[in-house]
């Protein structure tokens, strides 16, 4: 049963009771939302500059939607590379991942978040049997001045056997299937993007560098009493090579338009997958492909879910501008950094827009 309002109103020490309910007991913002609260707790109130002001949104702008039904058609490769340079974001349709697989992944996500807090909390930082499986709320509650209106489960993929043993049964199969079935399109996109950088052959070591590790997250953004005062996810860019994101039909993801700094909505498109360039690819391409800032707004009337897969280098890989990119004499703008150090740097701070990539700037 959902906890009642009394649970969080009948309090002697508001700050510690809040923290106990949301963080320690694992009710998360979903639990908070389901108590029926009518005003946003102060912990979620974001500074003015972090809220999304609707006048900064240009509604007629849109990221490209690319049809991959015949990827060898002239122009498709160029469209992909241009989108990665100009927008850093695009949607793909007819991508070969069966629609039923997408539906199953979303249903797996809903099934996990429907579990009682006590069950989900078995995977929290303090309780999880493995650091490859982590249930949590907000982004990094210890580092953040204001919290984000989001709960998540984050799963670092090691092997099918490890996933069978450790991932929650409620969502394991649907998510594994989605990961497996989306691998081909990820490879196809990377091949196209690499060709434009004069990387004509992706051998095993290059493949490992580009996509040697993967993390799948499931996100839950519950109904929020004051969405205008908070964020679902604050401004950030991903630390991945590529992120492939499945969203439901609610909407709320916004991306920065590099040309005028405005924000563009990424509308839900039935059957589509959202693709974005992450920092690792921006660095490897020496800035040619753009890892663009994005954010999620909270919603007053609907719960939203999303399922990003972060396709990453391996933690022990050194990332830097690719030799093929620098072969013609282009000056590197990024240095070579250990990928796990880069990721640590990302998690040490709250979401801060494009701040992470400075870590690798020369
Ligand atoms: C992320 C992210 C967007 C979304 O998890 O990095 O940007 O729509 N998510 O949930
Ligand atoms: Ni992101």
């Amino acid at each position: 049963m959902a906890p009642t309002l009394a649970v969080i109103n009948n309090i002697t020490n508001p700050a510690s009771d809040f923290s106990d309910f949301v963080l320690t007991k694992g009710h998360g913002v979903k639990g908070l939302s389901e108590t029926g609260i009518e005003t946003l707790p102060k912990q979620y109130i974001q500074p003015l500059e972090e809220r999304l002001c609707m006048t900064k949104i240009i509604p007629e702008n849109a990221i490209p939607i690319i049809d991959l039904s015949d990827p060898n058609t002239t122009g498709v490769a160029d469209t992909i590379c241009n989108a990665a340079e100009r927008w850093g974001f695009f949607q793909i349709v007819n991508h070969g991942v069966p629609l039923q697989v997408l539906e199953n992944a979303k249903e797996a996500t809903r099934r996990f978040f429907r579990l009682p807090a006590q069950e989900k909390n078995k995977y929290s930082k303090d309780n999880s049997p493995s650091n490859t499986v982590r249930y949590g709320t907000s982004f990094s509650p210890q580092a953040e001045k204001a919290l984000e209106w989001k709960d998540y489960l984050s799963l670092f993929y090691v092997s099918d056997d490890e996933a069978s043993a450790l991932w929650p049964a409620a969502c394991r199969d649907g998510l594994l299937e989605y990961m497996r079935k989306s691998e081909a399109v990820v490879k196809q996109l990377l091949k196209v993007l690499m060709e434009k950088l004069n990387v004509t052959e992706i051998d095993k070591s290059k493949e490992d560098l580009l996509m040697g590790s993967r993390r799948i997250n499931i996100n839950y953004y519950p109904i929020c009493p004051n969405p205008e005062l908070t964020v679902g996810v604050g401004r950030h860019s991903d630390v991945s090579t590529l992120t492939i994101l499945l969203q439901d039909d609610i909407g709320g993801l916004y991306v920065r338009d590099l040309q005028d700094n405005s924000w563009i909505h990424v509308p839900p498109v039935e059957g589509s997958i959202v693709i974005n360039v992450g920092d690792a690819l921006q660095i490897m391409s020496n800035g040619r492909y753009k890892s663009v800032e994005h954010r999620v707004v909270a919603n007053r009337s609907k719960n939203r879910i999303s399922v990003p897969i972060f396709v990453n280098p391996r933690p022990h890989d050194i990332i830097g501008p690719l030799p093929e990119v620098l072969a013609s004499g282009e000056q590197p703008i990024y240095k070579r950094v250990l990928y796990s150090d880069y990721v640590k740097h990302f998690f040490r701070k709250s979401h801060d827009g494009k701040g992470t990539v400075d870590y690798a700037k020369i």
Side-chain angles (χ1 to χ4, degrees), residues 80-356:
I80 292 170
C81 296
N82 291 343
E85 290 181 36
R86 161 66 181 88
W87 300 97
F89 258 89
F90 50 96
Q91 304 209 51
I92 52 173
V93 292
N94 299 317
H95 38 61
V97 186
L99 295 188
Q100 193 57 52
V101 171
L102 304 183
E103 285 312 311
N104 293 349
K106 286 186 273 186
E107 194 41 46
T109 300
R110 295 192 185 98
R111 208 177 306 122
F112 174 78
F113 285 107
R114 272 200 303 267
L115 293 173
Q118 209 182 327
E119 280 302 307
K120 290 183 283 196
N121 213 30
K122 289 183 179 161
Y123 303 96
S124 73
K125 187 166 187 279
D126 291 339
N127 304 328
S128 179
S130 159
N131 58 9
T132 59
V133 180
R134 167 78 55 88
Y135 165 68
T137 189
S138 190
F139 172 63
S140 183
Q142 285 73 28
E144 289 164 315
K145 289 209 180 70
L147 298 177
E148 301 182 342
W149 194 258
K150 174 192 91 168
D151 297 332
Y152 68 89
L153 175 73
S154 185
L155 303 162
F156 182 84
Y157 178 82
V158 176
S159 66
D160 282 3
D161 285 347
E162 205 251 12
S164 296
L166 296 175
W167 292 14
C171 58
R172 181 182 56 218
D173 296 347
L175 299 181
L176 272 177
E177 187 190 28
Y178 174 46
M179 270 189 122
R180 222 176 280 131
K181 292 277 162 64
S182 57
E183 197 173 318
V185 73
V186 168
K187 282 193 178 153
Q188 185 191 347
L189 291 170
L190 284 172
K191 179 167 182 285
V192 165
L193 291 166
M194 285 298 116
E195 260 166 20
K196 214 25 177 282
L197 301 178
N198 294 321
V199 179
T200 44
E201 199 212 325
I202 302 186
D203 59 14
K204 177 77 173 93
S205 82
K206 196 110 298 122
E207 183 173 301
D208 284 343
L209 179 66
L210 293 167
M211 52 179 298
S213 83
R214 277 170 301 164
R215 177 182 289 283
I216 185 163
N217 281 10
I218 58 177
N219 295 320
Y220 193 92
Y221 304 94
I223 291 171
C224 178
N226 298 103
E228 66 291 347
L229 302 180
T230 190
V231 296
V233 180
R235 297 181 298 121
H236 69 284
S237 61
D238 296 346
V239 294
S240 55
T241 304
L242 283 183
T243 303
I244 76 165
L245 178 124
L246 175 64
Q247 60 170 338
D248 65 10
D249 57 356
I250 305 300
L253 170 62
Y254 289 81
V255 310
R256 182 81 96 176
D257 183 342
L258 293 170
Q259 269 178 3
D260 61 10
N261 266 346
S262 64
W263 292 91
I264 315 167
H265 188 228
V266 179
V269 172
E270 174 75 22
S272 82
I273 299 175
V274 180
I275 307 290
N276 66 281
V277 172
D279 293 354
L281 184 55
Q282 175 169 321
I283 291 168
M284 288 192 255
S285 68
N286 203 31
R288 179 161 184 166
Y289 298 136
K290 310 293 188 310
S291 169
V292 165
E293 253 181 292
H294 51 285
R295 65 198 320 181
V296 175
V297 298
N299 192 305
R300 189 186 296 281
S301 58
K302 290 182 173 130
N303 302 309
R304 172 176 185 263
I305 55 158
S306 69
V307 187
I309 298 177
F310 302 98
V311 177
N312 299 325
R314 296 166 304 179
H316 61 271
D317 282 321
I318 307 276
I319 60 164
L322 295 169
E324 292 86 345
V325 176
L326 303 179
S328 57
E330 188 175 312
Q331 285 306 304
I333 55 174
Y334 300 109
K335 52 191 179 208
R336 290 160 53 78
V337 296
L338 181 68
Y339 187 62
S340 62
D341 285 345
Y342 190 83
V343 173
K344 256 185 237 151
H345 176 65
F346 176 64
F347 282 102
R348 257 198 302 264
K349 52 194 180 49
S350 55
H351 280 140
D352 65 346
K354 283 291 294 174
T356 323

